[in-house]
């Protein structure tokens, strides 16, 4: 099959022929229909996530089941599925406590005694990213990485639910459960941030403020539910937010992953409010915060991982939200592209020129 392989950090992905194994026990072979491109893939290319190479990135997929291995009971050929990196074991303390997205087993691949799922034409073993590796025509996944969805859901839009949209919606609806009427700020209007704006609208938040450096994103943000927008290239975006919220917002979602915007997000949070960190900083970076802001103003800082999801419950629900008109996904997709255009998509992401970009694959073998 054709796949985009990360051979080295800070270099374009290489389109290569790759061998994918047959499904083993508990595994499902999926024909990839679409894969969203998430900023975390770019962070990995730029060395901000410690991943060995060669590796196939891509973790926001939808597709159709082709074959299942022994013991697979949840899926059958022809099923439409979304893949998610939050695979969970069902038995650890996090799974038992209803927080399966924290399950420590989520990145475990096949046992070391078994052949690798992915191999290059020259025999190199290729790391599968998060049990998915969706920048490829086929995916071989444990069944616990997948959820079945309705056949009437378009697969290119379904793909977005696997990471970005689930992360943004879930940060609002699951991690901090924003109450109706609360004031919300979303810093960074990429795929994740625009989904957080939609989550705030769906839950009935009061003021919803979108912040970005790319003013063209504000039309989109307004369509998704923003009641005001702040251009972060302006003089004082923190003051602008304070003016719109009478002294700071109840909830501020940082959806970029930069030191200065994390500090801005804390400053935009009002007394007693909560800053929610969704953007992922490169590993090892730290953010200086004036802790008196936390003690004397009782601000809280919460991290949000993958929208605190239970994805087999959340994703079918978000599919219903889309099909009944509450969740807008059509406008989230700023471009559809072929696999061999993936490097151009990362260039556009670096410049902030896209909302969500989706790789679509030709149907059939
Ligand atoms: N917590 C999680 O589980 C999780 C899951 C998925 C993605 N993420 C992270 O979320 C972040 C966003 O991902 P994405 O795919 O939406 O990214 P993206 O690149 O699509 O969007 C980032 C947005 O931030 C804007 N921006 C950049 N610098 C800015 C600044 N200084 N001020 C204001 N706006 C600025 C850009 O214009 C763009 O609209 C990334 O860090 C990604 O790794 C986290
Ligand atoms: Zn992601
Ligand atoms: Zn577990």
């Amino acid at each position: 099959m054709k796949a985009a392989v990360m051979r080295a950090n800070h270099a374009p992905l290489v389109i290569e022929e790759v061998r994918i194994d047959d499904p083993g026990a508990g595994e499902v072979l999926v024909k990839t229909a679409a894969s969203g491109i998430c900023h975390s893939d770019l962070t990995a290319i730029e060395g901000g996530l410690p991943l060995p190479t060669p590796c196939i990135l891509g973790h926001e997929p939808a597709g159709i089941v082709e074959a299942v291995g022994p013991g697979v009971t949840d899926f059958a050929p022809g099923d439409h599925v979304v893949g998610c990196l939050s695979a969970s074991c069902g038995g650890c303390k996090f799974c038992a406590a209803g927080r399966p997205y924290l399950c420590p087993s989520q990145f475990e691949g096949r046992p070391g005694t078994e052949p690798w799922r992915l191999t290059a034409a020259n025999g190199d073993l290729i790391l599968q990213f998060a049990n998915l590796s969706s920048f490829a025509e086929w995916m071989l996944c444990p069944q616990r990485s997948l959820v079945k969805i309705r056949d009437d859901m378009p697969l290119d839009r379904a793909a977005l639910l696997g990471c970005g949209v689930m992360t943004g919606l879930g940060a609002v609806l699951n991690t901090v459960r924003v109450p109706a009427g609360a004031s919300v700020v979303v810093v960074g209007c990429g795929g994740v941030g625009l989904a957080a704006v939609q989550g705030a609208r769906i839950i009935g938040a009061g003021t919803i403020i979108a912040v970005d450096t790319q003013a063209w994103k504000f039309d989109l943000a307004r369509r998704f539910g923003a009641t005001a927008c702040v251009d972060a290239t302006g003089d004082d975006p923190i003051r602008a937010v304070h003016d719109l919220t009478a002294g700071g917002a109840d909830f501020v979602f940082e959806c970029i992953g930069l030191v200065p915007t994390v500090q801005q997000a804390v400053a935009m949070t009002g007394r007693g409010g909560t800053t929610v960190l969704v953007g992922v900083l490169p590993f090892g970076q730290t953010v200086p915060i004036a802790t008196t802001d936390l003690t004397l103003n009782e601000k809280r800082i919460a991290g949000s991982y993958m929208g605190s999801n239970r994805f087999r419950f959340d994703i079918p629900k978000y599919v219903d939200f889309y099909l009944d008109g509450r969740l807008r996904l059509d406008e989230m997709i700023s471009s559809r592209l072929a696999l061999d255009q993936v490097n151009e998509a990362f260039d556009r992401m670096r410049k902030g020129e896209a909302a969500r970009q989706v790789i679509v694959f030709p149907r059939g073998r």
Side-chain angles (χ1 to χ4, degrees):
M1 66 165 179
K2 207 160 72 159
V5 181
M6 175 169 75
R7 283 274 166 192
N9 293 133
H10 306 287
L13 304 184
V14 183
I15 306 295
E16 292 183 27
E17 266 312 305
V18 169
R19 188 186 167 275
I20 188 161
D21 206 9
D22 295 325
E27 292 178 345
V28 179
L29 182 66
V30 178
K31 173 80 187 75
T32 316
S35 173
I37 298 179
C38 174
H39 203 108
S40 304
D41 296 309
L42 181 56
T43 306
I45 292 171
E46 293 181 342
L49 293 180
L51 287 177
T53 53
C55 167
I56 299 176
L57 298 169
H59 61 280
E60 195 176 270
I64 300 178
V65 173
E66 171 80 7
V68 300
V72 170
T73 50
D74 299 351
F75 301 95
D79 283 351
H80 290 201
V81 294
V82 170
C84 176
L85 62 76
S86 301
S88 55
C89 74
C92 72
K93 73 170 184 180
F94 299 103
C95 289
R99 302 174 82 191
Y101 59 96
L102 295 177
C103 179
S105 79
Q106 60 193 266
F107 289 119
E108 276 171 20
R110 278 181 170 174
T113 48
E114 291 182 21
W116 284 42
R117 293 192 182 120
L118 302 168
T119 329
N122 67 0
D124 287 352
L125 301 177
I126 298 182
L127 182 83
Q128 186 187 32
F129 181 44
N131 284 308
L132 296 168
S133 287
S134 59
F135 294 163
E137 292 175 318
W138 296 85
M139 296 180 291
L140 182 55
C141 311
Q143 62 174 342
R144 63 199 183 96
S145 301
L146 302 171
V147 55
K148 184 169 153 49
I149 56 162
R150 291 164 56 172
D151 287 354
D152 55 344
M153 177 69 188
L155 288 168
D156 54 355
R157 277 142 277 179
L160 305 191
L161 302 174
C163 180
V165 169
M166 186 177 67
T167 295
L169 281 182
V172 174
L173 305 178
N174 296 336
T175 310
V176 291
R177 298 176 188 216
V178 169
S183 53
V184 169
V185 175
V186 176
V187 185
C189 298
V192 173
L194 290 170
V197 168
Q198 297 210 55
R201 186 198 78 241
I202 290 168
I203 205 69
T207 306
I208 304 172
I209 302 168
V211 182
D212 207 291
T213 45
Q214 302 279 327
W216 70 268
K217 294 214 161 140
F218 296 151
D219 270 355
L220 263 182
R222 282 203 180 85
R223 255 185 279 160
F224 291 148
T227 57
C229 298
V230 169
D231 187 340
T233 61
D235 286 347
D236 193 347
I238 298 168
R239 169 141 305 281
V241 166
H242 278 244
D243 289 347
L244 288 162
T245 53
D250 298 326
F251 293 90
V252 180
F253 295 86
E254 200 280 351
C255 299
I256 306 171
L258 295 172
V259 174
T261 49
V262 170
Q263 291 170 318
Q264 261 179 8
V266 175
M268 288 169 175
T269 305
R271 287 198 95 185
T274 304
T275 313
V276 188
L277 303 185
V278 184
V280 179
L281 273 73
F283 267 66
Q285 286 195 6
T286 55
V287 184
I289 300 282
T291 59
T292 45
D293 217 10
L294 310 189
T295 47
L296 306 185
N297 289 319
E298 209 171 282
K299 294 186 187 179
R300 290 165 198 259
I301 299 181
S304 178
Y305 181 47
M306 294 302 287
S308 308
N309 76 80
R310 288 155 296 159
F311 75 87
R312 283 201 176 177
F313 169 71
D314 291 323
I315 288 181
K317 183 173 63 180
Y318 297 154
V319 165
D320 291 343
F321 280 7
Y322 170 74
L323 291 171
D324 71 20
R326 270 177 291 177
L327 176 63
R328 297 178 193 145
L329 298 177
D330 299 358
E331 307 91 321
M332 293 273 299
I333 301 181
S334 49
S335 59
R336 291 173 175 77
L337 47 124
L339 180 65
D340 52 15
Q341 296 170 303
V342 65
N343 293 309
E344 296 155 41
F346 281 117
D347 287 341
R348 278 192 290 272
M349 179 178 271
R350 284 188 187 92
K351 294 185 210 142
E353 284 176 6
R356 210 46 156 192
Q357 306 180 86
V358 180
I359 299 171
V360 287
F361 292 84
R363 284 213 158 192
R365 270 180 185 278

